[in-house]
């Protein structure tokens, strides 16, 4: 079973694997790229993590995650985001050719006791503005990720691709882009228009895929599934992204307790197969175009 050359394993899909294990099972399966998470990197330290990434031979597709601008002390939040920007640059530089220094941003939910979602979104815009020069200096793209509206109160007040693009419009495309994640945007009646707009504005920093299936579990955060196990139309969404000229890696990012409880190598193998069936047929580019 050959992995699609554009497939990347987001480390959130194998959450319980430490960085060494995640790199090993990804490389051994013939997948060319990985999207590391901050927590496993912190466990070993940035310098060690960078060496591990370099030794793995894998590309770095994104780094997850930072943001959370709407709650907490502003100075502390910005300092943590600046550290994340530095980490992104270091890890992408350590990755194989075609690595992309993309830091995924989750906006943050409503502050405790607040009902002012408009004000919260402005705080997101302000926070990104405070980081733009740091990102530019580091050569990192901040990728705003809109989340499904069910997360608006506690996790992300930016709920559509259009909202993310409106915030990004204040900044240069190489500094601030967007994350197109099928789980979060598949339902949006305007999603294809928004993807086309993101392409025109050169804003697609990363494309992430997983599936949606009901009924949702009690913890809706863990409701993602392998591509093909739910209702998302990967054909139309993937073709729309490809038609913008997006030619980078495509991450599979799954939060699901049953998936996390499985052996990481099994998860990677099933991810390869599900990607091959649902996403690969709609890709018009080859490994030579990655990066």
């Amino acid at each position: 079973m050959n992995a699609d050359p554009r497939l990347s394993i987001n480390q959130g899909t194998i959450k319980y694997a430490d960085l060494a294990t995640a790199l090993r099972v990804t490389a051994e399966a013939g997948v060319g790229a990985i999207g590391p998470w901050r927590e496993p990197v912190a466990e070993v330290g940035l310098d060690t993590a960078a060496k591990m990434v370099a030794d793995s031979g894998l590309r770095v597709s994104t780094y997850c995650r930072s943001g959370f601008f709407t709650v907490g002390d502003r100075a502390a939040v910005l300092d943590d985001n600046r550290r994340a920007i530095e980490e992104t640059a270091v890890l992408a530089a350590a990755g194989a050719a075609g690595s992309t220094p993309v830091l995924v941003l989750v906006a943050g939910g409503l502050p405790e006791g607040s009902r002012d979602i408009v004000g919260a979104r402005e705080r997101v815009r302000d926070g990104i503005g405070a980081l733009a020069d740091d990102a530019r200096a580091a050569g990192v793209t901040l990728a705003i990720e809109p989340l499904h509206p069910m997360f608006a109160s506690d996790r992300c007040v930016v709920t559509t691709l259009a909202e993310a693009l409106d915030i990004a419009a204040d900044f240069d495309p190489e500094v601030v882009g967007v994350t197109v994640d099928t789980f979060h945007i598949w339902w949006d009646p305007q999603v294809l228009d928004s993807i086309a707009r993101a392409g025109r504005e050169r804003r697609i920093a990363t494309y992430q895929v997983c599936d949606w299936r009901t009924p949702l579990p009690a913890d809706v955060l863990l409701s993602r599934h392998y591509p093909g196990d739910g209702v998302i139309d990967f054909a139309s969404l993937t073709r729309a992204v490809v038609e913008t000229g997006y030619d980078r890696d495509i991450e599979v990012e799954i939060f699901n307790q049953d998936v996390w409880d499985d052996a990481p190598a099994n998860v990677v193998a099933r991810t390869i197969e599900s990607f091959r069936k649902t996403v690969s047929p709609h890709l018009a580019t080859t490994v030579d175009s990655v990066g």
Side-chain angles (χ1 to χ4, degrees):
M1 177 173 54
N2 294 324
D4 189 291
R6 293 182 64 181
L7 170 62
S8 175
I9 302 295
N10 184 284
Q11 196 174 356
T13 302
I14 45 176
K15 180 179 174 66
Y16 297 153
D18 59 21
L19 183 61
T21 302
L23 293 168
R24 177 178 56 79
V25 298
T26 300
E28 287 180 350
V31 177
I34 192 168
W37 274 60
R38 293 190 72 193
E39 291 82 358
V41 168
E43 288 176 358
V44 299
L46 180 58
D47 291 344
T48 298
K51 184 178 186 306
M52 293 167 64
V53 168
D55 290 345
S56 75
L58 296 172
R59 298 184 299 275
V60 172
S61 51
T62 69
Y63 190 47
C64 289
R65 55 188 163 67
S66 199
F68 300 100
F69 300 106
T70 59
V71 296
D73 176 75
R74 182 178 186 272
V77 168
L78 292 178
D79 284 347
D80 185 62
N81 275 275
R82 291 186 178 105
R83 287 191 293 273
I85 289 170
E86 177 189 2
E87 294 161 13
T88 304
V90 170
L91 292 173
S99 294
T100 46
V102 172
L103 175 60
V104 175
L105 298 183
V106 175
L110 284 173
E112 184 70 27
S114 173
R115 292 178 172 82
D116 183 9
I117 194 169
V118 174
R121 288 180 181 134
E122 286 308 307
R123 190 166 179 176
V124 174
R125 188 189 303 272
D126 174 73
I128 292 173
L131 297 171
D133 287 345
D134 299 282
R136 185 190 304 277
V140 168
T141 300
L142 306 175
I144 305 168
E145 181 172 14
L147 268 56
H148 189 279
M150 66 183 174
F151 297 113
S153 63
D154 67 339
R155 190 165 294 269
C156 186
V157 295
V158 179
T159 60
T160 68
L161 194 54
E163 288 174 349
L165 289 167
D166 288 346
I167 294 173
D170 290 346
F171 310 96
D172 291 339
E174 67 271 16
V175 176
V176 181
V178 296
T179 298
V180 178
D181 186 322
T182 59
F183 179 82
H184 293 301
I185 51 86
W186 72 274
W187 59 273
D188 182 356
Q190 304 303 319
V191 66
L192 296 181
D193 290 340
S194 292
I195 290 173
R197 172 188 168 190
R200 290 193 303 272
E201 297 176 5
R202 298 182 293 117
R203 298 284 181 186
I204 302 180
T206 182
Y207 179 39
Q208 297 178 336
V209 299
C210 71
D211 218 334
W212 174 289
R213 188 173 74 196
T214 51
L216 301 178
D219 185 350
V220 293
L221 184 65
L222 307 185
S223 57
R224 296 169 173 241
H225 296 269
Y226 290 103
D229 284 359
V231 300
I232 292 179
D233 179 10
F234 292 98
S236 65
L237 294 173
T238 301
R239 285 198 297 263
V241 171
V242 169
E243 286 169 3
T244 71
Y246 181 84
D247 61 358
R248 297 178 174 182
D249 292 313
I250 300 170
E251 294 186 355
V252 174
E253 183 185 53
I254 302 171
F255 304 159
N256 182 301
Q257 193 62 56
D258 290 339
V259 174
W260 290 348
D261 289 339
D262 198 359
N266 292 343
V267 173
V268 172
R270 185 166 175 188
T271 299
I272 291 170
E273 180 64 13
S274 65
F275 190 94
R276 183 185 65 80
K277 291 180 177 178
T278 60
V279 178
S280 297
H282 313 293
L283 300 177
T285 54
T286 68
V287 66
D288 294 332
S289 68
V290 172

